[in-house]
Amino acid sequence: MKLNYRIVIFALAIIFGLFFSAPSLLQTEAGKKVTLGLDLQGGLHMLLGVKTEEATKSRIKSIAASIKHFSERNDILIDSLTFTEDSVKFEVLDSDDNNAINEFLKDIEGSSISQEGQIVSLSLTDKEIIRTKAAAVDQAIETIRNRLDQFGLSEPVVARQGEEKILVQLAGIKTQEEEQRARELISRAAKLELMAVDEDRNARVYNMSSSDAAAYGDVILPDVKNEQEKYLVREIPILDGGMLTDASMGFDENNRPLINFKLNAEGAEIFGDFTGKSVGKRLAVVLDGKVYSAPNINERIGGGAGQISGNYTVMEAKDLAIALRSGALLAPIYLMEKRSVGPSLGADSIKASLVALIGGFVLVICFMVFYYRLAGVIANIALVANLFILLAVMSLFGATLTLPGMAGIVLTVGMAVDANVIISERIRELIYEGKSMHKAIEEGYANAMRAILDANITTLIASVVLYAYGTGAIKGFAITMSIGILASMLTAILGTHGIYEMLESKIQKSKNNRLWFGIKG
Amino acid sequence: MEFFKYTRTFNFMGKSKAAMVFSILIVLASYALLLTKGLNYGVDFAGGTVVQVKYDTTAPIDEMRDSLKTNEIFSGASISEFGSPDEVVIRMKTSTGNVTTDIGDLTREALKGTGNYEIRRVDIVGPTVGAELKEKGIMSLVLAVIGILIYVAFRFEWRFAVASIVALVHDVSIALGAITLVGLDVNLDVLAALLTILGYSLNDTIIVFDRIREGITKNRGIDLGETINESVTRTLARTTLTSLTTFFVVFTLFMFGGEIIHAFAFTLLVGVVVGTYSSVFVASPILLWFGFDVKNYHVKLAAKAQKNIEKQRIREQFESGVM
């Protein structure tokens, strides 16, 4: 026996494989492990779309709100303030105020202003619309991530997909109730608006259609508990959730849960101004288009703190506070794709694919020994090493093992012996031609090399395309196939060659070809 | 142990005409099936909803049907057994875009009173996602084929590339035909299986081609048909053995891999058999029929060798400082 560089590399590869696959196989705490895909451990996968056009709408709405506040604060008289999807329009009653208004509007980013007579209109530039839409997706990702972080799941995945899609993956969701809670937390718009009740017309709200209301610059909003109960409120809010700095759950004097919120300095100022001059009127606390409460304003409220009461359970109040605290979704989201797998199905899938893996593995191992004798044993050593290396590389990269990935491993077992079959057949051929064992092995490897390389590279091309264009589970399959092919080049070509070289003196001494390559000598 | 001891060359080319007729018939039959019956697109590509329910006894399918009728959402839903009598899947063409109301919850609600069950899987794919996945799927098939074509043309010769692509189209067509015949749901996993067949079948073909290329360079002057016969015969043992080992594992996957991997395993099973056949009987004869010219190939090889020698000479001159 003698050492050669091939056997040294092979030995190192085996040690590498054993060392780095151990944490995954033994499920020890330390070290990087292969993560199981959602289809194997159970969990929730969602692809969410973002209704970005709603983001520009709400941007316009808050511009309208700030124009209103500005004009009231500076005693500028404006009239017929209205807004559409992407523009705000109003009339300045006194032309002396034109300058002040224009100064103020100039500071609104990404807008273009035009004036016809005393009618001023402001619209968002195309560039600003694109920016607002992109920001809405970014913000939604950030918000959902914040919310899920507080949900207490391990490693939730929240990632952008394409331009307007968000991928959410939650592993380890066990029950339907948990799933439902997560979904509600994610999708909650949590858009808080404080709106003035139109006291002059509110009494007529039940006889009004929404277009009637719009004519007065109002909207009709339902009560959160009783959809039949309605409020007529001013369409342009006093302020919105963007000025919210904190929200937490608290309890009222009757020990019922409620939500405390705080506003930033600007919000506090607007809130103070409004409550100061609206004593005796009602303020509607609107969340996601529903009125939670509409208390009477008894005095000016400074300091920018407020409460939302409602008939919540502690859990609801807590989730609502989380949602408010982590920010509103600028644009609503909708479900494009959802896959949820229960933990029991995942466990069944692992069991079934393990049975297939072990079954296939045993069959292939027995067949190789039966057909090639010692050469088969050597090929099997390479095959086992291949599996360890495959697992080790996957662990190191933190790759996810999915069900198709398991199938990929099973398939690797079938195809990994291919290189050794090609080599062994070549060696047999050369032995028949009467070459010495040494020469047959050397030339066998040389002759087989080109075919093996070409065949493996083409399979790799298919795998890479599969990885680049595939989604989720398919990517997992492509990864295991690619790593399997690369590992098999190392083990089946280099490794087995090294073993033959190491055993060369033995092979040359024994004239028994039958034992070595399973042929009649 | 030896199955195929190389004693004499089999006359594969002599049987190539019969094989070709056979192949053409099967491929045409596959296309006829595809056109008449059509592929059964699953939820991944067509969009819709799949809910998998497992009962602790035999699933009361009729009772379930009645229960589902109470909610309009389930109109047009189909219920079928999935792997075992206690497990069923409910398939619907509809999907909901609402994040909070979930078809899984609705199903649970609707099935109340039909026994003890557990909802194990809910897949909802919206129509846009389905269309996108389909587009991506077709794109990946096409790209893989183009990539392989370029590689083979570069490493061998363009006729080899054409022949291997014809063999690939042959294999994938027949696999698609078989999928249509048994009415499998075509989902992402079936697509993965089709791409695997692509890689696998090509693997087989390339190894035969490599032998042919070797034979051409070695046996100057011998008829191409003869060379092909010899090459196919010499690789026959390897082709059969690798196909057998792969067949073993795919078959165990098919038998024991569970219902979820069933479609994937079935597609592969067909692919392994067809891929083996095509690398022996389809790919090589095409080489001949496309008029692969051995003499020309030799001239090209000689020119290539000449160029290398020339390069070598120039480098030597350069290194010795002549230039």
Side-chain angles (χ1 to χ4, degrees), chain A residues 146-161:
Chain A
N146 283 340
R147 290 178 186 174
L148 289 174
D149 279 345
Q150 299 178 51
F151 190 76
L153 282 168
S154 65
E155 297 177 38
V157 174
V158 183
R160 178 193 281 266
Q161 288 245 301

Side-chain angles (χ1 to χ4, degrees), chain A residues 17-49:
Chain A
L18 286 176
F19 186 77
F20 287 106
S21 62
S24 300
L25 285 175
L26 306 171
Q27 286 302 312
T28 49
E29 288 300 312
K32 286 185 174 159
K33 280 190 279 264
V34 171
T35 38
L36 290 184
L38 294 180
D39 51 351
L40 292 180
Q41 64 165 314
L44 177 64
H45 159 114
M46 285 195 288
L47 193 62
L48 304 170

Side-chain angles (χ1 to χ4, degrees), chain A residues 165 180 183 335-336 338-340 342 344 348 371 403 418 426 428-429 432 454-455 466 474 477 518, chain B residues 1-3 44 97 100 102 105 118 120 122 124 126 132 151 155 188 195 203 211 214 238 242 260:
Chain A
K165 281 177 271 179
Q180 172 129 19
R183 270 190 281 114
L335 191 68
M336 300 183 86
K338 181 197 132 173
R339 290 165 199 272
S340 63
S344 71
D348 280 4
Y371 199 83
L403 189 59
D418 184 48
R426 286 285 190 160
R428 278 183 174 185
E429 248 175 64
Y432 279 130
D454 280 344
L466 207 54
I474 301 265
F477 175 74
Chain B
M1 175 70 205
E2 290 155 273
F3 287 155
D44 288 349
T100 36
D102 182 60
D105 294 338
E118 178 197 355
R120 301 181 105 197
V122 180
I124 302 171
E132 211 172 286
Y151 181 82
R155 287 283 292 173
L188 282 170
L195 276 151
N203 219 345
R211 263 302 169 109
E214 192 180 310
R238 177 265 155 198
T242 303
I260 272 202

Side-chain angles (χ1 to χ4, degrees), chain B residues 59-312:
Chain B
I61 292 188
D62 290 332
E63 232 174 283
M64 290 174 72
R65 244 173 227 137
D66 289 341
S67 301
L68 288 185
K69 270 184 197 144
T70 53
N71 194 331
E72 216 179 294
I73 275 198
F74 298 108
S75 64
S78 75
I79 304 177
S80 52
E81 205 177 274
F82 195 67
S84 70
D86 25 338
E87 202 150 11
V88 289
V89 288
I90 305 167
R91 290 189 177 85
M92 279 158 276
K93 290 213 167 63
T94 47
S95 59
T96 55
N98 194 318
V99 184
T100 36
T101 58
D102 182 60
I103 294 193
D105 294 338
L106 295 177
T107 314
R108 203 159 41 139
E109 204 57 42
L111 288 182
K112 258 186 191 147
T114 56
N116 257 337
Y117 60 85
E118 178 197 355
I119 291 187
R120 301 181 105 197
R121 179 167 64 109
V122 180
D123 285 354
I124 302 171
V125 180
T128 41
V129 176
E132 211 172 286
L133 288 178
K134 205 192 251 162
E135 199 177 289
K136 265 186 158 185
I138 292 169
M139 194 69 179
S140 59
L141 266 171
V142 171
L143 273 184
V145 169
I146 292 176
I148 289 164
L149 190 81
I150 293 172
Y151 181 82
V152 177
F154 174 72
R155 287 283 292 173
F156 293 82
E157 204 245 11
W158 69 268
R159 285 179 193 86
F160 283 90
V162 173
S164 53
I165 295 302
V166 171
L168 287 184
V169 172
H170 170 266
D171 297 350
V172 172
S173 304
I174 293 176
L176 279 172
I179 292 167
T180 318
L181 188 68
V182 294
L184 280 186
D185 273 1
V186 180
N187 277 326
L188 282 170
D189 46 349
V190 171
L191 177 71
L194 286 176
L195 276 151
T196 312
I197 293 177
L198 224 65
Y200 175 81
S201 146
L202 197 78
N203 219 345
D204 257 14
T205 310
I206 293 254
I207 284 168
V208 178
F209 279 2
D210 179 76
R211 263 302 169 109
I212 296 177
R213 182 174 55 184
E214 192 180 310
I216 292 169
T217 8
K218 251 194 214 156
N219 318 327
R220 284 167 176 266
I222 294 182
D223 169 54
L224 179 62
E226 262 317 295
T227 311
I228 292 177
N229 274 339
E230 196 196 319
S231 306
V232 175
T233 313
R234 280 199 181 273
T235 47
L236 197 59
R238 177 265 155 198
T239 307
T240 328
L241 283 180
T242 303
S243 299
L244 267 182
T245 55
T246 312
F247 190 85
F248 282 163
V249 293
V250 175
F251 190 69
T252 43
L253 203 58
F254 181 71
M255 292 303 288
F256 307 109
E259 187 65 24
I260 272 202
I261 208 104
H262 203 75
F264 177 83
F266 173 82
T267 312
L268 276 185
L269 215 52
V270 176
V272 171
V273 176
V274 177
T276 308
Y277 161 79
S278 78
S279 59
V280 174
F281 288 102
V282 178
S284 314
I286 285 176
L287 211 52
L288 192 66
W289 294 351
F290 266 102
F292 180 78
D293 191 329
V294 185
K295 268 200 194 113
N296 250 336
Y297 188 69
H298 280 304
V299 172
K300 262 188 212 155
L301 278 184
K304 215 172 171 183
Q306 191 62 42
K307 225 167 150 190
N308 276 338
I309 292 168
E310 186 68 10
K311 255 191 203 159
Q312 187 74 23

